[in-house]
Amino acid sequence: MLPKEPARRPQLGFLYIPPFRLQGLSIAGEETVVHVPELDLCFDIGLCPKAVLPAPIVALTHGHMDHVAGIAYYFSQRPFQGMTPGTVICHPELEKPLHNLMEAWVDIERQRTKYNLVPLAPGEQYEIKNNHHLKAFEAIHTVPALGYTVLEKRTRLKEEFVGLTQEQIVEHKKAGKEIVDTFHIPLITFTGDTAWGDHLTTDDVLQSKVLITECTFMEPGHRKRAGIGKHLHLDHILDLLEASSDETHIVLTHLSRRTHMGQVRKTLDRHVPERFRHRLLVLMDSRGNRARYEQQLAEAEANQVGND
Ligand SMILES: [Zn+2]
Ligand SMILES: [Zn+2]
C-alpha cells in the first residue's frame, strides 16, 4: 500500500458581514490571525499565512506564540513581495521583547529588515486610515493583553445650525464657532484571549457592528477551566449576546482543536436562544459559513435581477 499524501494547508475561515470581510485562522494554542481587508488591518498574526500579507497594519493582542509567531516573517515578507514595511501595534510591555526578536534575526540572517513597531497603551488610539482609529483596551489574560475597537469618526451639523443657508453657516464658521458635533461609531472589536471582566461590557464593545471574541471552552463542566486559563466560556458569550446591540454580530474564535465543528453547531443550537442564533457566527465553521455566503450570493443576485 502506498503512503498517504500530506495534509493540505488549512483553508482560511471566511465571513462576510457587510461591509467587512473577516478572513483568518483561529484554533486555541495553535494559531490565531484575523484579517479585515476593508480596514487594512490584521488582528494578531498567527504563523503569518500568505493571504494576510497585504494588511499594512497588524494589531497584536498579547505575546503567546500562537498569536505572534509569524511576526518577523510578516515584516520580512512584505518588502520581499514588493510591499511597504509593515506596522505592528502592541502592548507597551511587548515593545522591547519584539525589538529584541528583530535584533536576533539580524544576527541570524546577517541582514536587517525594516519594521515599524508602535506601542499602544490602554485607552490610546492609533489612526489606521482616514477617520478610522484603533483604540486599545486592557484585557485580562495570563500575560499583558490588549483588546481593540476600531472607531469611525463622523461629524454632524450641530442642531442649532440645521436649516441655515450655506452662507450663514460659513459666517458662523468664520466667527470661530464649532459648527459640527463629532462622534465615534464602534465598527469592530477584537477582544483577543481574555477572561471575563468589565472591559467586555463597555459601549464600544457592546455596540460594535462586529464583535470578534474567543470561546476556548464550551462544555458545561469547563467553566472553571476557562477561569484558570483566563479564557471565556460559552456562558459568557450568552451574556454578551444578551447585553450587545441587536445589530451586533458576535464571531467566535480560539475554539479548541478537540471540539469537533459538528459538535460546536449542536452545542450552539442547544444552548443559544433562538432569537440570538442568527447573530452568532464561528470563524472556523467552514461548512456553515459557506452555506451562509452562498445565501448572500443568491440574495445579491436576486436583487440584481430585480434592479435590471
Ligand atoms: Zn491563544
Ligand atoms: Zn493566550
Side-chain angles (χ1 to χ4, degrees):
M1 205 163 67
L2 287 174
K4 279 191 182 149
E5 286 181 297
R8 297 225 187 113
R9 278 167 194 259
Q11 169 100 21
L12 263 63
F14 172 68
L15 278 166
Y16 179 51
I17 305 174
F20 302 113
R21 283 172 289 170
L22 310 186
Q23 38 202 49
L25 296 165
S26 184
I27 298 163
E30 292 186 16
E31 174 164 24
T32 287
V33 48
V34 180
H35 180 202
V36 187
E38 286 72 21
L39 293 174
D40 298 337
L41 179 67
C42 194
F43 295 108
D44 287 334
I45 194 65
L47 306 180
C48 191
K50 198 167 178 200
V52 311
L53 276 180
I57 304 172
V58 173
L60 294 178
T61 58
H62 66 294
H64 280 153
M65 185 85 91
D66 49 324
H67 298 254
V68 184
I71 207 67
Y73 192 68
Y74 165 78
F75 281 134
S76 145
Q77 276 293 299
R78 273 188 55 92
F80 182 71
Q81 303 284 354
M83 304 174 203
T84 55
T87 294
V88 167
I89 316 287
C90 69
H91 195 290
E93 293 212 27
L94 271 188
E95 184 186 8
K96 181 138 194 306
L98 287 173
H99 279 306
N100 293 344
L101 178 79
M102 293 309 292
E103 213 42 54
W105 274 109
V106 176
D107 293 338
I108 297 167
E109 285 205 296
R110 303 292 164 107
Q111 62 175 337
R112 195 168 278 280
T113 294
K114 274 194 187 155
Y115 67 96
N116 305 313
L117 197 56
V118 180
L120 203 63
E124 284 182 348
Q125 297 189 16
Y126 177 86
E127 185 167 18
I128 49 175
K129 53 191 276 187
N130 252 352
N131 293 326
H132 288 72
H133 294 257
L134 186 71
K135 184 177 175 185
F137 59 86
E138 188 100 61
I140 303 171
H141 198 38
T142 54
V143 293
L146 294 177
Y148 299 95
T149 299
V150 175
L151 300 167
E152 185 187 354
K153 189 171 114 183
R154 289 196 195 160
T155 53
R156 182 172 45 198
L157 193 63
K158 278 182 187 286
E159 214 160 297
E160 57 197 285
F161 300 117
V162 175
L164 299 189
T165 64
Q166 198 66 34
E167 290 77 26
Q168 288 170 316
I169 292 171
V170 171
E171 279 306 307
H172 283 293
K173 201 175 175 183
K174 276 190 191 152
K177 275 200 188 151
E178 190 59 70
I179 56 162
V180 293
D181 285 320
T182 302
F183 54 106
H184 293 89
I185 300 180
L187 300 179
I188 294 193
T189 290
F190 187 87
T191 70
D193 288 6
T194 187
W196 184 257
D198 292 343
H199 61 293
L200 296 176
T201 57
T202 64
D203 282 350
D204 281 352
V205 172
L206 297 175
Q207 300 295 320
S208 285
K209 307 266 180 264
V210 182
L211 168 51
I212 307 165
T213 189
E214 65 130 299
C215 183
T216 312
F217 295 94
M218 285 210 158
E219 294 82 353
H222 281 178
R223 188 148 173 168
K224 202 169 164 200
R225 281 175 64 178
I228 292 167
K230 299 268 195 291
H231 284 296
L232 294 180
H233 182 274
L234 181 57
D235 289 353
H236 300 116
I237 306 304
L238 298 182
D239 291 344
L240 283 174
L241 281 163
E242 192 79 53
S244 57
S245 115
D246 288 342
E247 312 283 301
T248 302
H249 279 89
I250 297 185
V251 178
L252 302 184
T253 63
H254 213 264
L255 274 67
S256 147
R257 164 78 75 191
R258 294 185 309 277
T259 337
H260 188 266
M261 204 45 78
Q263 192 56 46
V264 170
R265 273 184 229 118
K266 269 190 208 154
T267 305
L268 296 184
D269 289 341
R270 192 175 322 133
H271 293 283
V272 179
E274 180 66 29
R275 67 184 191 281
F276 294 144
R277 193 61 188 89
H278 69 284
R279 293 208 277 123
L280 187 60
L281 300 162
V282 178
L283 179 68
M284 298 311 285
D285 177 8
S286 47
R287 189 136 63 95
N289 294 343
R290 168 133 286 278
R292 183 176 172 277
Y293 183 59
E294 272 163 13
Q295 194 178 337
Q296 288 174 313
L297 285 174
E299 280 167 18
E301 207 167 300
N303 282 337
Q304 188 58 43
V305 170
N307 290 338
D308 284 346

